[in-house]
Every structure is written in structure tokens, then in C-alpha cells.
Amino acid sequence: MALGGLSLGLLRSGTRAPAPRRSIALSAGAGRRPRSRPQRPVGSRVPRGAPAHTLCLKLGQAEALLLERPIRDVAPRAEEPCWTSRSSPLPSCWRWWERCSTSIRLPDKLQEFQGLLQLKKTDPFETMLKSLLRYQSGGGSVSENHMRKKLYENGVTDSLKSNFALLLKLSEELLDKWLSYPETQHVPLSQHMLGFAMKSVTQMVMGSTFEDDQEVIRFQKNHGTVWSEIGKGFLDGSLDKNTTRKKQYEDALMQLESVLRNIIKERKGRNFSQHIFIDSLVQGNLNDQQILEDSMIFSLASCIITAKLCTWAICFLTTFEEVQKKLYEEINQVFGNGPVTPEKIEQLRYCQHVLCETVRTAKLTPVSAQLQDIEGKIDQFIIPRETLVLYALGVVLQDPNTWPSPHKFDPDRFDDELVMKTFSSLGFSGTQECPELRFAYMVTTVLLSVLVKRLHLLSVEGQVIETKYELVTSSREEAWITVSKRY
């Protein structure tokens, strides 16, 4: 199946070299002629000494964009050439891909490209975060990566199953808090969703240590320091230039790692009534460093993805009353006067569509990455091994060639199986989805089931929510809502 609109970037790893003086950009553009600039001969190899090689591809349209210039040529504020390797953070060039204007027509090489994607069976979001954190584990054989993928999947499944009652309890605690508010009170949605996500994720991933609110607050503080630098400081290069910020980041990361090491040590060789995500990693055939890195990545990403998915889902429900009404009717039909249970949660088909459309419309994770372990070829371009493949997901999620009325929030579009298959192939549902997002889907579904059943979720009149695009998309300022009881 052709996937219309998937944009990717391929960045050559290696050492820095003097910036080339010329630049070439290739992209699909029927009826457009390339400007008169030197072009690479057909079948040529991307030179190993260049500091940046970014190749964007749109599946179904066979669009390609090849940049041979340092990032400062595209974004004047950046001072260093755009490059990457296993041990260096990702560059920020994906933000400016669309600024290149030179284009030529390329033949459709969709099947070859899809085959290339199948060579590496790792989670793209995990790959990107490990590059940013300078973590080294992973990048093993196909069988090793498959084993770790299954370990992740089982960890998510088992932790959700074992902790469903806890998740329901935390959701009901938030409901009781909101029920106590007068209808005129403005609720800081982003703040509440972050707190809810932190409580849920820390206990389900790392265990009973985080039943103590002070431990959650301490984790949230360190998480915020690390994540803000991952989202900004690494990408724009400002972290390495500010010694104070860099020390704060390193101290926060060290404290998070220390907590995880203690939990891993505590859980090894022992049985607990509560199965948490780390237990699945401990019971797998991983060394201590792999367990540490994988649990760190999952903890960091799950907290922020869950918080932002909850926030955006409620924002859209307050804006589109007919969607909220339809969701309420489904929740009422499935649960009636009975409790929220794991078995019945699976029946919330429209709720699933609401969350898929939330991810798409908000462009929840606008970029991800994969490491190309073996040499590949697309058309005349040879992609060397050790190339980091960047997926510009934010582009495809609102590509009008793939999504009719792309800026309209329309959960009903996912009634079409082909639409759902396209969404799944992008890694947002089904067997392709990253474990952190799968975790977030379940947490958000339970929360919405509890809240929407008892409350009208309402927008604040006159509020305009501006979007901030980083590794996970958020609102630029606090998002405010009001709530009223259903009778």
C-alpha cells in the first residue's frame, strides 16, 4: 500500500568537514524545471566528508530533497554544520526542510523504499531519544531488536493489565477534584494533565516508590529539566554554550538514572504483586545498562506523550461539542451504570478514532528517527550505513494528498479502513506504533471514559491556543477549560 506524504530525512553520520560552497535540492514537482545548478551524476554516492546530507522522501509521490550544506545556510541562527552520529545529538535541520526551492522530477521508487524501511526493526522515537541522550545500547542484530521490541510490548501489556485498578483510581481522583470546582472556575488543563500523567506513569513504570507525592514532584522537576533541554537545548545547540544549564541538565539526568538504578536493583530476583514495566526489562535477557537506558527512554517519553495526548484530546473535545456528545453516547452505551473495565474499554471504537485524530491534528510527535544499519539505495541515491533516518511526520499528518480537509478535526475519517492502515503504517497505531504511544492511548482512554461520563468539558471563551512544535507538540501557553456536571 502506498503511503502518501511520508517525509523522511537521511543524515550522514561521521566527522565534520568544511562546508561545501554549493547546494543541491531535489524534490518531486511535476511541471517544474530545476534551476541551473551543478547536479550529482546518476548513481553517485553521497560523499563521506560532507557535514550534512538530508534526504526527504514522500511515499506515493516519490519526493526527494537532498541538501548539501551546513544548517546555517538554511537557518541563519544556527552556527554549526548539521551532522549526526551514534554518539552526537540530532541536528535541527528538519525544521527547515521546506525552504529549499530547486526541484526535479524523480521516478517512483516506493517498493524499494518500503523494503529499506523494513531493514531496521526498532522504535523510531526511541532511536531519536537515544541519540539525543548519547545512549549507546541498541543497534543490534535483527533478532536482538525483535526480542527487545517484544520485551517492550509485553512490558506495556503486563503493566497496564496489572495496574488497571490504579489507573482507574487516579482518574477518579481527578474527576472528584474537578467535580468540586464551581462551573465558573478555570481549570489549568496542561498542568493537571502533566500531574496526572506523572502519577500514572511513574507508578506503572517504576512502582510503589512513587505513591509518595514528594517522589513524584522530585521526578517531575528532574524530568522537566531533562526534557526541556532535549526539546530545545540539543536541537539549537544552546545547551553546550551555557555551562549553568548544562550542569543543571547533567545533574537532573544523573538523579533520574540514580533512581532507576535503585529500582532495578530492588526488583531483580524478587517477585512483587504489582507488575511494573521495569519488571519486564529485568526479566529479559538485557544487561544493566540496557535496562537503565530503556527504562529511562520509556519513562521520559511516556510521561510527556501521555500528558500531551490527554491535553490535546480534551482541548479538541471542548472545541467540537458534537464530537464530545458522540463520545459521551458511546461511553454510556458501553458502560451504562457499570464500572470501567479493561474488557469494555476495548469496545470504545469511536474513542479510539478521537485519539487517532487528536494525534494527527495536533501532530503530536512531528519527528522521529531510525538508524540505517546496512547500506541501501533509493533510485540513484546510495544511503550509507550508519545513516540516521529522520521521519518528518508532522508534514505527512496534514498532507492534503493523504487527508482530505487536513486541518479539520474529524474522527469519523478513521471509519475508513484504508485511512487507519495508512495511520498505522506511519507508526501511530497497530503493530507499528511505538510502545510509549500505545501506553498513552490506554491511559487517555480510561481518563476520558471517567471524565466524559460525569462532566461536560467546556472551552474558555476567547481563548486561542497556539502550538509549540518540539519532539512532542504542546500548547505554547496554558490551556484553560471549565467543567460542569452532567445530570
Side-chain angles (χ1 to χ4, degrees):
M1 180 188 67
L3 310 179
L6 176 58
S7 293
L8 301 176
L10 304 177
L11 289 110
R12 174 75 175 91
S13 65
T15 57
R16 304 187 190 190
R21 296 181 179 277
R22 62 187 177 89
S23 63
I24 302 173
L26 305 179
S27 67
R32 293 181 290 177
R33 293 181 177 271
R35 293 178 184 174
S36 178
R37 291 188 183 181
Q39 296 183 11
R40 184 179 306 285
V42 173
S44 63
R45 180 182 296 271
V46 175
R48 296 186 178 277
H53 305 286
T54 305
L55 177 63
C56 303
L57 295 171
K58 279 193 177 181
L59 297 183
Q61 298 176 17
E63 264 192 44
L65 171 65
L66 177 63
L67 301 181
E68 294 181 38
R69 55 185 171 184
I71 185 62
R72 60 172 171 266
D73 290 351
V74 183
R77 287 177 296 177
E79 297 177 1
E80 294 296 325
C82 169
W83 67 295
T84 189
S85 69
R86 279 180 182 270
S87 60
S88 67
L90 291 173
S92 52
C93 55
W94 61 273
R95 296 171 184 264
W96 297 278
W97 278 346
E98 297 181 356
R99 297 195 185 182
C100 293
S101 57
T102 305
S103 61
I104 65 171
R105 186 69 178 174
L106 293 178
D108 194 342
K109 293 291 180 180
L110 176 62
Q111 290 184 343
E112 293 176 28
F113 185 67
Q114 285 179 317
L116 184 66
L117 285 179
Q118 299 303 314
L119 296 175
K120 184 70 175 171
K121 293 288 188 180
T122 56
D123 171 22
F125 202 79
E126 172 200 345
T127 302
M128 181 174 58
L129 286 179
K130 284 194 171 182
S131 177
L132 290 167
L133 289 168
R134 297 184 171 95
Y135 282 168
Q136 299 293 324
S137 71
S141 66
V142 172
S143 60
E144 288 172 340
N145 289 327
H146 179 73
M147 181 273 291
R148 290 179 63 248
K149 185 174 185 291
K150 292 299 294 182
L151 210 57
Y152 256 61
E153 290 173 353
N154 293 337
V156 172
T157 300
D158 293 344
S159 62
L160 287 170
K161 182 178 179 181
S162 178
N163 294 280
F164 189 86
L166 168 64
L167 178 56
L168 190 58
K169 172 177 171 288
L170 294 173
S171 299
E172 290 173 343
E173 286 177 358
L174 182 63
L175 170 66
D176 291 340
K177 185 175 183 177
W178 285 10
L179 282 170
S180 69
Y181 291 162
E183 293 187 1
T184 55
Q185 181 162 335
H186 290 188
V187 179
L189 180 62
S190 301
Q191 177 184 325
H192 282 205
M193 292 302 98
L194 182 59
F196 169 76
M198 287 288 169
K199 281 188 175 183
S200 302
V201 173
T202 53
Q203 292 186 53
M204 295 170 73
V205 173
M206 294 177 283
S208 57
T209 298
F210 292 93
E211 291 176 2
D212 183 348
D213 285 347
Q214 291 304 311
E215 290 295 333
V216 177
I217 291 170
R218 190 175 297 113
F219 178 88
Q220 182 172 337
K221 180 181 177 182
N222 289 326
H223 178 285
T225 299
V226 171
W227 190 263
S228 65
E229 295 299 355
I230 288 176
K232 180 181 185 332
F234 274 135
L235 293 181
D236 64 12
S238 62
L239 180 63
D240 286 329
K241 300 171 187 175
N242 188 316
T243 55
T244 301
R245 277 173 52 195
K246 188 171 183 179
K247 186 178 186 308
Q248 290 173 344
Y249 163 81
E250 290 172 346
D251 288 348
L253 183 62
M254 184 175 63
Q255 289 181 48
L256 291 176
E257 290 179 341
S258 176
V259 169
L260 286 170
R261 283 194 180 94
N262 290 336
I263 293 171
I264 292 167
K265 183 179 179 181
E266 177 190 0
R267 308 293 290 199
K268 272 194 168 183
R270 299 177 61 186
N271 293 319
F272 296 84
S273 58
Q274 177 198 26
H275 184 94
I276 60 176
F277 179 80
I278 284 181
D279 289 336
S280 295
L281 301 184
V282 168
Q283 293 163 13
N285 187 27
L286 301 176
N287 61 47
D288 287 351
Q289 186 62 24
Q290 286 177 318
I291 296 172
L292 172 66
E293 292 181 3
D294 287 354
S295 55
M296 174 66 78
I297 295 295
F298 190 84
S299 302
L300 284 173
S302 293
C303 283
I304 201 72
I305 290 176
T306 300
K308 299 313 175 186
L309 180 59
C310 290
T311 300
W312 284 116
I314 292 176
C315 278
F316 287 127
L317 290 176
T318 63
T319 304
F320 300 94
E321 294 180 6
E322 70 282 1
V323 174
Q324 185 176 168
K325 180 181 178 183
K326 189 172 179 179
L327 178 60
Y328 169 72
E329 290 170 352
E330 179 183 67
I331 290 171
N332 234 12
Q333 180 182 355
V334 171
F335 298 113
N337 294 322
V340 176
T341 63
E343 296 75 22
K344 290 187 175 181
I345 281 286
E346 299 296 329
Q347 301 174 31
L348 296 176
R349 187 166 181 268
Y350 185 69
C351 185
Q352 178 192 16
H353 293 174
V354 169
L355 295 183
C356 289
E357 183 67 346
T358 297
V359 169
R360 190 200 68 80
T361 307
K363 297 188 280 190
L364 188 69
T365 54
V367 65
S368 63
Q370 291 258 28
L371 188 68
Q372 181 65 27
D373 267 4
I374 65 174
E375 186 176 276
K377 184 178 181 181
I378 304 174
D379 197 48
Q380 71 265 41
F381 301 106
I382 295 173
I383 303 162
R385 66 186 301 274
E386 299 296 302
T387 296
L388 197 65
V389 182
L390 295 186
Y391 297 69
L393 299 175
V395 178
V396 63
L397 288 174
Q398 294 187 0
D399 184 347
N401 295 310
T402 305
W403 314 94
S405 304
H407 301 291
K408 179 183 178 182
F409 185 79
D410 180 18
D412 290 330
R413 73 172 80 238
F414 287 95
D415 287 335
D416 187 335
E417 286 189 16
L418 288 177
V419 171
M420 185 59 84
K421 284 180 179 178
T422 298
F423 195 68
S424 176
S425 299
L426 295 174
F428 292 112
S429 68
T431 58
Q432 301 286 341
E433 71 189 0
C434 74
E436 295 87 356
L437 184 57
R438 180 180 162 213
F439 187 92
Y441 277 142
M442 177 58 78
V443 174
T444 309
T445 301
V446 172
L447 179 64
L448 291 182
S449 299
V450 170
L451 294 180
V452 174
K453 188 175 182 180
R454 297 285 305 278
L455 291 171
H456 289 284
L457 306 173
L458 307 168
S459 60
V460 172
E461 188 175 351
Q463 178 179 219
V464 176
I465 299 177
E466 294 185 6
T467 305
K468 181 170 67 173
Y469 294 110
E470 293 180 337
L471 298 185
V472 178
T473 302
S474 62
S475 58
R476 195 166 293 279
E477 297 178 349
E478 181 60 80
W480 298 90
I481 65 168
T482 60
V483 298
S484 64
K485 299 176 184 176
R486 293 186 186 271
Y487 294 101

mmCIF file of all heavy atoms in Angstrom, residues 63-64 94 98 103 122 184 263 270 281 413 427 435:
data_model
loop_
_atom_site.group_PDB
_atom_site.id
_atom_site.type_symbol
_atom_site.label_atom_id
_atom_site.label_comp_id
_atom_site.label_asym_id
_atom_site.label_seq_id
_atom_site.Cartn_x
_atom_site.Cartn_y
_atom_site.Cartn_z
ATOM 1 N N GLU A 63 8.830 12.048 -3.598
ATOM 2 C CA GLU A 63 9.509 13.323 -3.463
ATOM 3 C C GLU A 63 10.825 13.124 -2.752
ATOM 4 O O GLU A 63 10.912 12.391 -1.781
ATOM 5 C CB GLU A 63 8.648 14.293 -2.636
ATOM 6 C CG GLU A 63 7.819 15.208 -3.497
ATOM 7 C CD GLU A 63 7.208 16.323 -2.683
ATOM 8 O OE1 GLU A 63 7.910 16.892 -1.849
ATOM 9 O OE2 GLU A 63 6.041 16.610 -2.893
ATOM 10 N N ALA A 64 11.853 13.780 -3.207
ATOM 11 C CA ALA A 64 13.144 13.703 -2.538
ATOM 12 C C ALA A 64 13.760 15.084 -2.438
ATOM 13 O O ALA A 64 13.589 15.924 -3.303
ATOM 14 C CB ALA A 64 14.088 12.784 -3.299
ATOM 15 N N TRP A 94 15.519 19.438 10.419
ATOM 16 C CA TRP A 94 14.176 19.062 9.985
ATOM 17 C C TRP A 94 13.208 20.226 10.052
ATOM 18 O O TRP A 94 12.197 20.263 9.372
ATOM 19 C CB TRP A 94 13.664 17.901 10.827
ATOM 20 C CG TRP A 94 13.548 18.182 12.286
ATOM 21 C CD1 TRP A 94 14.525 18.040 13.221
ATOM 22 C CD2 TRP A 94 12.399 18.642 12.976
ATOM 23 N NE1 TRP A 94 14.068 18.388 14.452
ATOM 24 C CE2 TRP A 94 12.756 18.763 14.337
ATOM 25 C CE3 TRP A 94 11.100 18.974 12.588
ATOM 26 C CZ2 TRP A 94 11.859 19.190 15.302
ATOM 27 C CZ3 TRP A 94 10.203 19.405 13.555
ATOM 28 C CH2 TRP A 94 10.597 19.505 14.904
ATOM 29 N N GLU A 98 11.466 22.573 4.250
ATOM 30 C CA GLU A 98 10.623 23.099 3.185
ATOM 31 C C GLU A 98 11.177 24.365 2.536
ATOM 32 O O GLU A 98 10.592 24.898 1.616
ATOM 33 C CB GLU A 98 9.219 23.364 3.722
ATOM 34 C CG GLU A 98 8.524 22.082 4.188
ATOM 35 C CD GLU A 98 7.131 22.354 4.700
ATOM 36 O OE1 GLU A 98 6.752 23.557 4.759
ATOM 37 O OE2 GLU A 98 6.419 21.407 5.035
ATOM 38 N N SER A 103 14.083 21.925 -7.691
ATOM 39 C CA SER A 103 13.394 20.638 -7.740
ATOM 40 C C SER A 103 13.538 19.985 -9.094
ATOM 41 O O SER A 103 13.649 20.640 -10.117
ATOM 42 C CB SER A 103 11.911 20.825 -7.433
ATOM 43 O OG SER A 103 11.318 21.670 -8.383
ATOM 44 N N THR A 122 13.368 -1.206 14.863
ATOM 45 C CA THR A 122 13.439 -0.546 16.158
ATOM 46 C C THR A 122 12.420 0.563 16.220
ATOM 47 O O THR A 122 11.884 0.997 15.210
ATOM 48 C CB THR A 122 14.839 0.051 16.406
ATOM 49 O OG1 THR A 122 15.150 0.939 15.329
ATOM 50 C CG2 THR A 122 15.891 -1.037 16.488
ATOM 51 N N THR A 184 -17.786 28.097 37.110
ATOM 52 C CA THR A 184 -17.099 29.273 36.552
ATOM 53 C C THR A 184 -15.577 29.201 36.686
ATOM 54 O O THR A 184 -14.872 30.033 36.113
ATOM 55 C CB THR A 184 -17.586 30.552 37.253
ATOM 56 O OG1 THR A 184 -17.401 30.403 38.680
ATOM 57 C CG2 THR A 184 -19.068 30.800 36.958
ATOM 58 N N ILE A 263 15.827 1.220 41.655
ATOM 59 C CA ILE A 263 14.618 0.429 41.418
ATOM 60 C C ILE A 263 14.969 -0.874 40.718
ATOM 61 O O ILE A 263 14.449 -1.942 41.072
ATOM 62 C CB ILE A 263 13.595 1.238 40.594
ATOM 63 C CG1 ILE A 263 13.078 2.424 41.414
ATOM 64 C CG2 ILE A 263 12.437 0.359 40.135
ATOM 65 C CD1 ILE A 263 12.232 3.408 40.630
ATOM 66 N N ARG A 270 13.378 -10.783 42.570
ATOM 67 C CA ARG A 270 12.294 -10.780 43.557
ATOM 68 C C ARG A 270 10.946 -10.747 42.849
ATOM 69 O O ARG A 270 10.841 -10.310 41.704
ATOM 70 C CB ARG A 270 12.427 -9.571 44.493
ATOM 71 C CG ARG A 270 13.720 -9.557 45.289
ATOM 72 C CD ARG A 270 13.821 -8.296 46.130
ATOM 73 N NE ARG A 270 12.729 -8.183 47.094
ATOM 74 C CZ ARG A 270 12.521 -7.114 47.866
ATOM 75 N NH1 ARG A 270 13.334 -6.063 47.770
ATOM 76 N NH2 ARG A 270 11.526 -7.082 48.723
ATOM 77 N N LEU A 281 11.673 -5.679 31.696
ATOM 78 C CA LEU A 281 13.045 -5.492 31.232
ATOM 79 C C LEU A 281 14.025 -6.296 32.084
ATOM 80 O O LEU A 281 14.972 -6.894 31.562
ATOM 81 C CB LEU A 281 13.421 -4.010 31.273
ATOM 82 C CG LEU A 281 12.561 -3.044 30.443
ATOM 83 C CD1 LEU A 281 13.141 -1.633 30.524
ATOM 84 C CD2 LEU A 281 12.464 -3.498 28.996
ATOM 85 N N ARG A 413 -13.204 10.165 9.987
ATOM 86 C CA ARG A 413 -12.363 9.780 8.851
ATOM 87 C C ARG A 413 -11.735 8.402 9.081
ATOM 88 O O ARG A 413 -11.408 7.690 8.140
ATOM 89 C CB ARG A 413 -11.294 10.837 8.579
ATOM 90 C CG ARG A 413 -10.172 10.900 9.565
ATOM 91 C CD ARG A 413 -9.053 11.835 9.107
ATOM 92 N NE ARG A 413 -9.361 13.251 9.357
ATOM 93 C CZ ARG A 413 -9.400 14.161 8.389
ATOM 94 N NH1 ARG A 413 -9.187 13.802 7.136
ATOM 95 N NH2 ARG A 413 -9.663 15.425 8.680
ATOM 96 N N GLY A 427 3.228 4.482 12.039
ATOM 97 C CA GLY A 427 3.705 4.179 13.388
ATOM 98 C C GLY A 427 2.821 4.710 14.497
ATOM 99 O O GLY A 427 3.245 4.782 15.653
ATOM 100 N N PRO A 435 5.761 1.917 21.707
ATOM 101 C CA PRO A 435 5.155 1.464 22.966
ATOM 102 C C PRO A 435 4.715 2.613 23.859
ATOM 103 O O PRO A 435 3.729 2.484 24.589
ATOM 104 C CB PRO A 435 6.267 0.634 23.619
ATOM 105 C CG PRO A 435 7.525 1.025 22.926
ATOM 106 C CD PRO A 435 7.143 1.435 21.549
#
